[in-house]
Amino acid sequence: MYLLAIFSPLIGSLISILGGRWVGSKGASLITCSFVSLAALFSTMVFYEVALCGYTCHLYLTTWISCGMFNASWSFMFDSLTGIIMIVVTYISALVHFYSVEYIAEDPHRPRFISHLSVFTFFILLLVSADNFVQMFLGWEGVGLASYLLINFWHTRLPANKGAIKAMLVNRVGDVGLTLGLLIVFYLFHSIDYATVFAAAPYFKHYSLNLFTFEVDALTAACIFLFVGSIGKSAQLGLHTWLPDAIEGPTPVSALIHAATMVTAGVFLVARCSPIFEMAPISLSIVALVGGITALFAATTGVFQNDLKKVIAYSTCSQLGYMIFACGTSNYATGIFHLANHAFFKALLFLGAGSVIHALADEQDMRRMGGLAYLLPFTYTMMLIGSLSLTGFPFLTGYYSKDLILELASTTYSVPGHFVYWVGILSVILTSFYSFRVLLLTFLNNTNAPQRWVGHVHESPSFMSMPMAALGIGSIFSGYLIRDMMVGTGTDFWGAALFSLPYHTHPIESEFSSTLTKWAPFLLSNVGIVLALLLNVGLSRFATNLQLSSLGHTLTFFFNKKWYWDNVYSYYLIRPALGFGYNISFKALDRGVIEIFGPLGLTKSLPLWAKQLASMQSGQLAHYAFMMLVGTTFLVTIVELWDVIFLFLDYRTVGVLFTSALFIMSGF
Amino acid sequence: MIHQIHYLSLSTMLFIIGIWGVFLNRKNILIMLISIELILLAINFTFIIFSVYLDDLVGQIFALMVLTVAASESAIGLAILVVYYRIRGNISVELINLMKG
């Protein structure tokens, strides 16, 4: 059962990709959907046994790599952290599978698509259920690969190719960090098993490591490198640029990548490594700061985007910032809680957006939408639920996790904690602003869509609606239902899965914080909603004038162009790197120095030398006689003056002369 | 008193004259052959000087051997020259340029 929960998506994927020809498009959909549903069913059972009943399960399959002290095995560990993420992933994935059966129905490559969705699910399950870092890394890379294949599903589209390559490469930057982190972990602990590493982590608290001649705290270094991996996968500031471009894939893919699976891997990693992170407070501060800045950055950027999916993508980025800074303030359980809740409403938002896009003949620009509330009442309802949940409207899912994150941040006794509190509370306004901007521009404002589209607008078929309805129910209830289990006072749900030092968290203080602190997120999100209504409905002319003023113009461009992160990267990082690659490492080194010292120099100069040598044989007898005389004289001179010559000439000089002759002869 | 060194310098001078004869001569191949003969004679002379000086017979035996070799060499050389002349019609050194590298 445990293994089937992990491997059934893989089985479904393999059947549909290898046998897609025989089972056909519908058959492939049916098979993968049923296998993923099976995984969801088994995950529920796993969750019941592991998380609810508290029996942590450890399955050892076989040895993978055994080499000296290094011992990586194929083995799985199921604890409550794994259980909760498995259940979220499999459920969201099953719903996305059902949704995409209809969404992608007219595409000729449905078996490939749905198989990639399944393999994606498999890799994320492998990631969360691993019991050692290497197997986790396998899942980590597999998820990156699957995201590449999915974003690039329409591989004839240039933006899809670019987006997929960007996703892959930017993730790879994080993966390098993760790899370094794993190396440091293995160097310190001589083991890559979670159990060993986490048990031994406190003993390495003041252990220092010589890194490039700098003495650094070993655990801090390890944590920072691991967190670099998280930054890449969870699209935190710095390596966030891939996430908005990942919307080039079909919408269900965005739902899967952004909502449930890929981006959550980074949060999962930080939560899983909580015993190490707790021992390295500096790295925790960094985690919190990066998460906080990401939350603000993505929220400000999301406000100024006009692409429906891009707004939601930045919203994901922002919410991930919340999760990460929750982890950074040692409230791992709250971070995971928000992850689980966010999966529901973000998947709902993406699927709703997909429904809108589907209805509007693949138009994604919100400025060309509007008035769809009358034509798509169901989608509107679902998007409204999702948006309210995202803004943290009371008693919806987002309320329970997001407000809790902010309350917990407000009661920390550290500077980074307070910083992220203020940043988070500022992002709340922006979050509700852009959420309602989406609703207004898409559903409520007067329509801007061409008439011929409006005539064809229709509600999505049931295969797309039902998953949305299910997610809508999840978005309403999941936060309330799992709140006491995951973050209730004194809950023992997590067992040994998460670890935070007693003096790092202050749940009681946050429980009894001031009324204003408790109300602040709600009030501020209402401010955001009112602002959105004012600026997009009542005072829209004023808003336009504000944007057209010189400062407003600059600011709008600044936020619309994502704080110019992409421009800065391409001007100062990517272009110089490409230039270096072509001009220096390719032209000067590969085609230059190495070739001239190697094949090119020899092939060019040896024939020249040979020709010159050969031209000395003119055929004239007198010349030969002359050469003989000169040769004899030369030989005698050398022999006689050997001691003197040796003073000035040694083999190194000869070598230098020889190689410089190569340069001259090859016409460099 | 004539010393050993005088004989030796004489033979060396003959040798160098022979070499210069080979080297400087651009016109006549006969002169070249003669110069080679002169070189061989200078060497012969040296052999004999050392044979007398060291009171050892081997040098003279060697000189006799060199005489025979020189004789056969010039015979063959002249034969080649004659054959060459028959083909080319002249024996000017400058025109012998068929042995290009």
Side-chain angles (χ1 to χ4, degrees):
Chain A
M1 184 184 79
Y2 284 86
L3 288 180
L4 264 184
I6 307 286
F7 282 101
S8 61
L10 180 67
I11 298 167
S13 162
L14 286 179
I15 291 175
S16 75
I17 194 114
L18 298 176
R21 264 162 181 273
W22 294 284
V23 297
S25 180
K26 280 206 178 115
S29 314
L30 187 72
I31 286 168
T32 43
C33 282
S34 38
F35 271 105
V36 171
S37 309
L38 205 65
L41 184 71
F42 285 132
S43 297
T44 319
M45 287 152 79
V46 168
F47 180 75
Y48 172 74
E49 280 192 10
V50 159
L52 296 185
C53 300
Y55 288 105
T56 299
C57 174
H58 194 271
L59 290 177
Y60 173 82
L61 290 192
T62 177
T63 302
W64 181 11
I65 308 164
S66 179
C67 172
M69 275 183 292
F70 184 81
N71 206 329
S73 51
W74 281 102
S75 47
F76 296 89
M77 182 184 66
F78 299 86
D79 56 8
S80 37
L81 179 61
T82 304
I84 192 81
I85 297 193
M86 270 176 75
I87 208 165
V88 166
V89 165
T90 48
Y91 271 83
I92 302 285
S93 171
L95 292 173
V96 168
H97 272 76
F98 284 119
Y99 182 89
S100 43
V101 166
E102 194 61 50
Y103 186 84
I104 209 98
E106 285 152 24
D107 200 286
H109 301 294
R110 191 159 64 164
R112 172 162 68 89
F113 181 74
I114 209 129
S115 136
H116 287 164
L117 280 185
S118 279
V119 85
F120 193 94
T121 315
F122 164 69
F123 275 122
I124 193 83
L125 290 174
L126 193 67
L127 195 165
V128 296
S129 65
D131 91 321
N132 60 56
F133 280 106
V134 172
Q135 196 179 329
M136 186 275 292
F137 191 67
L138 182 76
W140 190 272
E141 293 297 316
V143 168
L145 170 72
S147 77
Y148 173 81
L149 294 171
L150 282 171
I151 296 165
N152 207 6
F153 173 64
W154 288 314
H155 55 259
T156 47
R157 288 183 63 224
L158 188 59
N161 287 317
K162 283 179 174 174
I165 290 168
K166 194 172 178 184
M168 193 78 172
L169 290 182
V170 176
N171 266 305
R172 224 34 14 104
V173 176
D175 295 346
V176 171
L178 180 60
T179 316
L180 293 175
L182 298 193
L183 290 175
I184 294 178
V185 164
F186 180 69
Y187 174 73
L188 286 178
F189 298 101
H190 296 305
S191 169
I192 38 111
D193 287 335
Y194 286 153
T196 318
V197 171
F198 297 158
Y203 300 107
F204 286 86
K205 197 169 176 193
H206 297 296
Y207 199 86
S208 70
L209 187 72
N210 195 323
L211 212 64
F212 298 116
T213 73
F214 295 107
E215 285 290 324
V216 292
D217 186 50
L219 286 183
T220 308
C223 286
I224 287 173
F225 279 123
L226 289 176
F227 181 58
V228 169
S230 282
I231 288 178
K233 207 53 115 194
S234 278
Q236 296 299 297
L237 197 69
L239 298 178
H240 65 279
T241 50
W242 67 271
L243 189 64
D245 289 355
I247 60 162
E248 297 299 342
T251 310
V253 171
S254 313
L256 208 54
I257 291 180
H258 293 213
T261 48
M262 184 149 168
V263 292
T264 58
V267 184
F268 167 79
L269 178 69
V270 177
R272 175 58 91 199
C273 297
S274 54
I276 319 180
F277 274 91
E278 283 300 304
M279 296 302 147
I282 298 173
S283 64
L284 270 183
S285 307
I286 292 172
V287 171
L289 288 175
V290 170
I293 300 170
T294 309
L296 183 66
F297 157 77
T300 51
T301 311
V303 167
F304 286 89
Q305 298 302 312
N306 292 316
D307 187 309
L308 180 56
K309 282 170 80 178
K310 242 177 200 171
V311 177
I312 307 175
Y314 276 108
S315 154
T316 304
C317 206
S318 172
Q319 296 304 309
L320 285 166
Y322 277 93
M323 294 175 212
I324 289 282
F325 81 61
C327 291
T329 49
S330 290
N331 302 305
Y332 303 99
T334 320
I336 296 296
F337 180 44
H338 192 51
L339 188 157
N341 292 342
H342 171 261
F344 285 105
F345 55 74
K346 195 46 61 74
L348 177 61
L349 283 174
F350 262 113
L351 296 191
S355 179
V356 170
I357 293 163
H358 198 62
L360 278 180
D362 295 337
E363 174 59 57
Q364 295 195 13
D365 197 326
M366 289 194 298
R367 289 168 299 188
R368 302 181 71 186
M369 297 178 182
L372 294 177
Y374 309 100
L375 297 168
L376 299 172
F378 175 74
T379 308
Y380 172 59
T381 316
M382 288 302 141
M383 289 286 275
L384 184 64
I385 292 172
S387 298
L388 284 175
S389 197
L390 174 64
T391 55
F393 195 78
F395 314 120
L396 289 178
T397 291
Y399 166 73
Y400 291 102
S401 50
K402 203 164 126 184
D403 285 19
L404 186 62
I405 287 177
L406 291 170
E407 278 170 28
L408 286 167
S410 75
T411 50
T412 51
Y413 296 129
S414 64
V415 175
H418 279 275
F419 172 76
V420 296
Y421 172 67
W422 288 108
V423 166
I425 210 97
L426 193 59
S427 307
V428 164
I429 308 176
L430 298 165
T431 305
S432 51
F433 184 88
Y434 64 66
S435 300
F436 276 83
R437 184 166 165 269
V438 167
L439 286 178
L440 288 166
L441 287 180
T442 313
F443 292 106
L444 298 175
N445 274 3
N446 292 334
T447 187
N448 282 325
Q451 194 187 6
R452 61 174 192 285
W453 291 359
V454 178
H456 295 294
V457 167
H458 56 280
E459 200 66 81
S460 310
S462 60
F463 254 80
M464 286 165 72
S465 304
M466 293 314 287
M468 284 162 67
L471 286 170
I473 292 167
S475 302
I476 298 173
F477 292 111
S478 82
Y480 172 69
L481 289 176
I482 62 177
R483 178 181 182 277
D484 270 346
M485 177 179 81
M486 292 177 76
V487 291
T489 315
T491 175
D492 62 348
F493 171 74
W494 294 107
L498 299 177
F499 172 77
S500 47
L501 287 173
Y503 53 91
H504 278 174
T505 52
H506 313 285
I508 307 298
E509 280 94 327
S510 78
E511 203 62 42
F512 293 100
S513 54
S514 69
T515 317
L516 188 64
T517 318
K518 293 256 180 200
W519 276 92
F522 174 66
L523 292 176
L524 287 173
S525 68
N526 280 348
V527 167
I529 295 172
V530 171
L531 270 178
L533 285 171
L534 280 178
L535 290 180
N536 284 299
V537 184
L539 302 171
S540 59
R541 188 168 294 275
F542 170 71
T544 315
N545 286 337
L546 203 64
Q547 278 198 351
L548 287 177
S549 71
S550 100
L551 180 67
H553 192 258
T554 317
L555 279 180
T556 307
F557 263 78
F558 178 68
F559 290 124
N560 183 266
K561 297 290 170 198
K562 312 142 194 173
W563 290 23
Y564 295 117
W565 269 96
D566 284 288
N567 298 40
V568 167
Y569 273 179
S570 56
Y571 277 111
Y572 294 107
L573 218 63
I574 295 162
R575 268 208 222 164
L578 280 176
F580 177 84
Y582 181 69
N583 289 321
I584 297 183
S585 66
F586 174 67
K587 264 169 81 176
L589 289 177
D590 273 10
R591 300 287 319 278
V593 173
I594 293 173
E595 284 211 351
I596 283 168
F597 280 123
L600 187 74
L602 281 176
T603 48
K604 276 208 173 184
S605 48
L606 279 186
L608 274 175
W609 293 351
K611 200 175 275 180
Q612 282 177 350
L613 267 179
S615 68
M616 288 167 90
Q617 297 191 325
S618 59
Q620 293 283 349
L621 210 52
H623 291 171
Y624 293 150
F626 174 71
M627 289 312 295
M628 280 180 215
L629 184 67
V630 168
T632 318
T633 317
F634 187 71
L635 207 65
V636 170
T637 319
I638 290 280
V639 170
E640 290 302 311
L641 297 181
W642 182 248
D643 290 340
V644 183
I645 292 168
F646 196 75
L647 281 180
F648 300 102
L649 197 78
D650 66 357
Y651 61 95
R652 281 162 299 194
T653 330
V654 174
V656 170
L657 287 174
F658 181 77
T659 44
S660 38
L662 285 178
F663 266 99
I664 295 160
M665 293 293 178
S666 60
F668 180 68
Chain B
M1 179 67 193
I2 296 172
H3 278 289
Q4 171 77 14
I5 193 77
H6 296 119
Y7 293 112
L8 273 180
S9 18
L10 177 66
S11 74
T12 311
M13 277 191 285
L14 283 175
F15 182 83
I16 289 172
I17 287 169
I19 283 179
W20 282 107
V22 171
F23 172 55
L24 287 178
N25 163 47
R26 293 292 173 91
K27 293 286 177 198
N28 203 337
I29 200 158
L30 272 176
I31 293 177
M32 214 175 239
L33 278 177
I34 292 165
S35 301
I36 292 169
E37 283 304 307
L38 188 60
I39 291 168
L40 287 170
L41 282 176
I43 288 165
N44 248 355
F45 194 43
T46 319
F47 272 127
I48 289 163
I49 290 161
F50 274 106
S51 171
V52 172
Y53 179 70
L54 297 172
D55 200 12
D56 189 353
L57 210 59
V58 176
Q60 292 175 31
I61 292 168
F62 217 94
L64 283 172
M65 297 284 283
V66 172
L67 268 182
T68 45
V69 168
S72 44
E73 180 256 326
S74 52
I76 292 168
L78 281 170
I80 291 170
L81 194 66
V82 170
V83 173
Y84 185 83
Y85 180 75
R86 196 178 292 158
I87 293 168
R88 292 290 297 257
N90 67 62
I91 50 170
S92 175
V93 176
E94 279 174 331
L95 297 175
I96 302 176
N97 56 3
L98 290 175
M99 299 183 290
K100 262 188 190 160

